[in-house]
Amino acid sequence: MSVEVTDLRETIEHAIHDIGEAREGFAAQLAVHEVGTITRISTGIARVSGLPHVGSDELLAFSGDVYGIAFNLDEDDIGVVLLGDYADLHAGDRVERTGRVMDVAVGEGLLGRVIDPLGRPLDGYGPVASSARLPIERPAAAIMDRAPVSVPLQTGLKVIDALIPVGRGQRELILGDRRTGKSAIAIDAILNQRGRDVVCVYCAIGQRASAVAKAVANLRAKGAMEYTIVVVAEGNQAPGLAYVAPYAATSIAEHFMEAGRDVLIVYDDLTHHARAYRELSLLLRRPPGREAFPGDIFYLHSRLLERATHLNEARGGGSLTALPIIETEAQNIAAYIPTNLISITDGQIYLSPTLFELGVLPAVDVGKSVSRVGGKAQWAAFRAAAGDLKLAYAQFEERETFSRFGAQLDADARTIIEHGKRIRACLGQAESSPVSVAAQIMILLALSAKLFDNVAIEQMGEAQQALLSASDTLPAAMCKRFESTEEFSGKDRAMIVEIARKVLAPFASATTLAKGDAGKLPEPGPAVTDAPTLNAAANESGSAAMPTQATNADSSTDDKHPNHPKQRSP
């Protein structure tokens, strides 16, 4: 019994000794945490006091897992942009500094996911797996780290790839009135990247939840979500999320670009982004400027779009192509935000509501659209096939305008109009149906050779479908040459034109334009001949000579015309 008591005493003494040594070796680690309080809550913003050392754009933590960005650093308080649901925040609540700026998760684990600008999943597929985090605001690549745009980004849309080509690393603006097909063009460009080793990021800013769900369902049905990341800031959420959404999406895209990948990012759309920034700036009492936008609205978008570039080989050779979307009002492309974006980007694709109402889809106005960089990156086969297509289309639009006023057109003008109608029909395309490079080359060469001129307008759809099927039979080596810098040979051209001629032969009209029976426009009124003919007719009837300048509006001239109903014999 005494032995057990002795052992217990020794054990207790040993434990007390260890505790004493641990107490003597402990040094309290004191850290200073700045804690502030909310003084006022407004729509999407908060006024905070008590954080004297907070930095600009620093991330602040509120109760309820709500974060905010220090936007205004005033003498008395701090203007904070809230990034989440602020319904449960009240004046007097605690605010803490995080010591870091706003960042977002990046990595391969984001492919196929739908997230918000904070990196939280919205698709119900569990937590997002990320390999790193990057700040949403990052400096653009230096000039010496960039390389020229040399490789095209095929959108699968004939009117864009042929007439307004986009290069990898380019910034091409898409603008037009609401509901003219702007988002459809961007979605089609994403769909066409399947199998091309291009990562796509679709950033929906201030969109309706139903519209975003429809776009995601379309991408998923076409198998495009395998290489696409969707970043969503819905229209009913806090304006702060709409403000940070494009920057977060760009950081996600830059991660892949810096890894040597080619990336396509779509901002849909920056009009809502500008309006959200205007709302926040006005609530924070920043001085308004033109259209009530703050003075730094240009810098808001320029620092975003300057991050889209093509890196040189030393930096990995990756590229980031940006397709920002802007909504115009009443076709006014000279408004404040559209002109800002036009001056920042490398070209624009303008969608006309007039063409949209006429059923010309995609409703791209070729005359107002331009690509300042992509033309140099266009494949040689496209340049050879679509060399004078834009000029022919412009001539058609000019003469079509004259024909609407009842002007009389000669045979050459009618031929140009009929050829232009075929060009417009060939450039038209259904939504979510991108066309391969080989099929586009075949259709463009058939247009250049005027093989469609003998095809009735009603049969243009069937004729194009026949060419699409025939393009699948082209040799693989030839199709590979289409997507290279190799010059387009005359042998390849002749072979494709001959195939197209055989395919289109069954669709040829019974009467050709050369005989003057096809494409004849209706005469607006009685034919007007020259003045000597009219004078001769007047002399034969014993009337006075007609004046030298005769017009259709002169009823006396019409009455004495030999072909006038009053002069015809029964």
Side-chain angles (χ1 to χ4, degrees):
M1 183 68 181
S2 61
V3 175
E4 294 179 358
V5 172
T6 302
D7 292 342
L8 179 61
R9 182 182 296 110
E10 290 178 354
T11 301
I12 294 174
E13 290 178 352
H14 183 69
I16 293 174
H17 177 72
D18 291 342
I19 292 173
E21 289 183 350
R23 179 178 57 82
E24 292 175 358
F26 174 75
Q29 300 292 332
L30 300 179
V32 178
H33 292 277
E34 290 189 19
V35 178
T37 57
I38 300 175
T39 59
R40 188 169 73 253
I41 288 285
S42 183
T43 305
I45 67 164
R47 289 285 180 175
V48 176
S49 64
L51 299 175
H53 297 96
V54 70
S56 178
D57 292 335
E58 183 176 343
L59 195 66
L60 303 180
F62 294 80
S63 59
D65 197 26
V66 178
Y67 291 91
I69 298 177
F71 214 54
N72 276 14
L73 303 181
D74 300 327
E75 294 183 2
D76 300 329
D77 58 9
I78 303 165
V80 181
V81 173
L82 299 175
L83 305 175
D85 187 7
Y86 50 88
D88 296 331
L89 297 182
H90 306 283
D93 288 353
R94 179 171 172 169
V95 185
E96 295 183 3
R97 290 182 57 192
T98 62
R100 60 186 177 90
V101 296
M102 172 72 184
D103 56 14
V104 66
V106 298
E108 296 282 344
L110 271 68
L111 291 174
R113 301 302 303 272
V114 182
I115 61 174
D116 68 358
L118 302 179
R120 297 176 296 198
L122 300 176
D123 50 11
Y125 292 156
V128 175
S130 62
S131 57
R133 299 188 70 88
L134 289 177
I136 64 169
E137 293 270 13
R138 305 180 69 206
I143 294 178
M144 298 307 296
D145 293 335
R146 305 186 181 214
V149 176
S150 56
V151 179
L153 182 93
Q154 298 297 134
T155 64
L157 298 170
K158 292 170 286 187
V159 64
I160 295 179
D161 292 341
L163 305 181
I164 320 159
V166 179
R168 296 188 181 184
Q170 184 178 347
R171 302 157 298 177
E172 186 77 6
L173 176 66
I174 303 175
L175 76 163
D177 286 7
R178 66 185 305 271
R179 302 195 64 81
T180 52
K182 302 184 295 297
S183 299
I185 287 181
I187 294 296
D188 285 356
I190 293 176
L191 295 178
N192 195 56
Q193 305 314 311
R194 183 175 179 83
R196 296 181 180 272
D197 194 25
V198 176
V199 177
C200 300
V201 180
Y202 179 71
C203 180
I205 310 167
Q207 301 291 323
R208 299 189 310 274
S210 59
V212 177
K214 180 181 178 181
V216 173
N218 189 15
L219 293 173
R220 205 178 297 280
K222 300 290 185 178
M225 285 300 292
E226 300 173 2
Y227 53 87
T228 303
I229 303 169
V230 180
V231 181
V232 180
E234 297 179 9
N236 60 347
Q237 293 179 329
L241 287 175
Y243 164 66
V244 302
Y247 298 103
T250 306
S251 292
I252 294 173
E254 281 182 329
H255 171 77
F256 294 98
M257 178 186 69
E258 293 172 354
R261 305 281 296 275
D262 293 315
V263 188
L264 169 65
I265 184 168
V266 176
Y267 304 106
D268 190 11
D269 63 48
L270 292 185
T271 304
H272 294 291
H273 183 238
R275 290 171 182 169
Y277 185 66
R278 176 174 62 183
E279 178 183 353
L280 295 172
S281 299
L282 293 175
L283 289 170
L284 291 170
R285 304 293 181 180
R286 289 191 173 184
R290 178 180 170 185
E291 298 182 16
F293 287 104
D296 60 343
I297 188 70
F298 184 91
Y299 179 61
L300 176 79
H301 291 146
S302 65
R303 73 175 188 263
L304 171 69
L305 295 174
E306 277 298 320
R307 296 163 68 177
T309 185
H310 179 206
L311 298 177
N312 57 25
E313 293 299 329
R315 290 286 304 273
S319 67
L320 176 56
T321 308
L323 294 180
I325 297 176
I326 279 290
E327 180 182 304
T328 58
E329 296 178 356
Q331 308 180 46
N332 182 19
I333 63 175
Y336 190 25
I337 301 303
T339 50
N340 281 355
L341 269 297
I342 288 174
S343 62
I344 293 171
T345 53
D346 305 314
Q348 70 272 354
I349 299 171
Y350 178 70
L351 293 134
S352 169
T354 304
L355 294 177
F356 186 85
E357 293 167 0
L358 292 174
V360 180
L361 300 176
V364 176
D365 189 330
V366 178
K368 294 183 180 179
S369 303
V370 65
S371 178
R372 303 185 186 95
V373 178
K376 298 180 181 179
Q378 196 175 27
W379 297 129
F382 266 100
R383 284 198 298 269
D388 58 348
L389 191 62
K390 197 167 187 177
L391 176 61
Y393 193 73
Q395 292 175 342
F396 154 66
E397 288 184 323
E398 181 182 8
R399 283 160 176 79
E400 186 186 39
T401 302
F402 282 118
S403 68
R404 293 196 185 111
F405 292 102
Q408 293 189 15
L409 303 173
D410 56 14
D412 291 339
R414 289 197 295 270
T415 302
I416 291 175
I417 289 180
E418 290 301 322
H419 181 59
K421 289 180 180 178
R422 272 72 179 174
I423 295 177
R424 175 181 287 172
C426 286
L427 296 182
Q429 191 169 331
E431 185 178 350
S432 302
S433 56
V435 181
S436 65
V437 172
Q440 291 190 49
I441 295 295
M442 179 170 283
I443 292 174
L444 293 175
L445 285 177
L447 272 176
S448 300
K450 298 187 177 182
L451 300 181
F452 284 106
D453 288 6
N454 297 330
V455 179
I457 291 293
E458 296 78 11
Q459 293 183 305
M460 286 296 296
E462 299 177 12
Q464 287 191 75
Q465 193 60 42
L467 283 182
L468 292 179
S469 302
S471 65
D472 296 334
T473 63
L474 293 177
M478 178 185 293
C479 296
K480 188 176 181 180
R481 289 196 295 271
F482 291 160
E483 301 187 51
S484 67
T485 57
E486 185 177 347
E487 290 296 327
F488 191 53
S489 65
K491 181 179 179 182
D492 290 345
R493 176 191 287 269
M495 177 180 177
I496 295 175
V497 170
E498 185 60 29
I499 294 175
R501 180 177 285 106
K502 292 179 180 179
V503 171
L504 296 178
F507 299 95
S509 302
T511 321
T512 62
L513 284 174
K515 296 181 180 180
D517 294 330
K520 201 167 186 178
L521 296 180
E523 300 290 344
V528 178
T529 57
D530 55 357
T533 305
L534 293 177
N535 287 335
N539 291 333
E540 290 176 2
S541 61
S543 303
M546 300 300 298
T548 304
Q549 295 181 349
T551 62
N552 284 336
D554 191 346
S555 60
S556 62
T557 302
D558 291 338
D559 291 346
K560 294 177 176 56
H561 195 282
N563 293 327
H564 193 274
K566 293 182 180 180
Q567 301 296 332
R568 295 192 189 121
S569 59

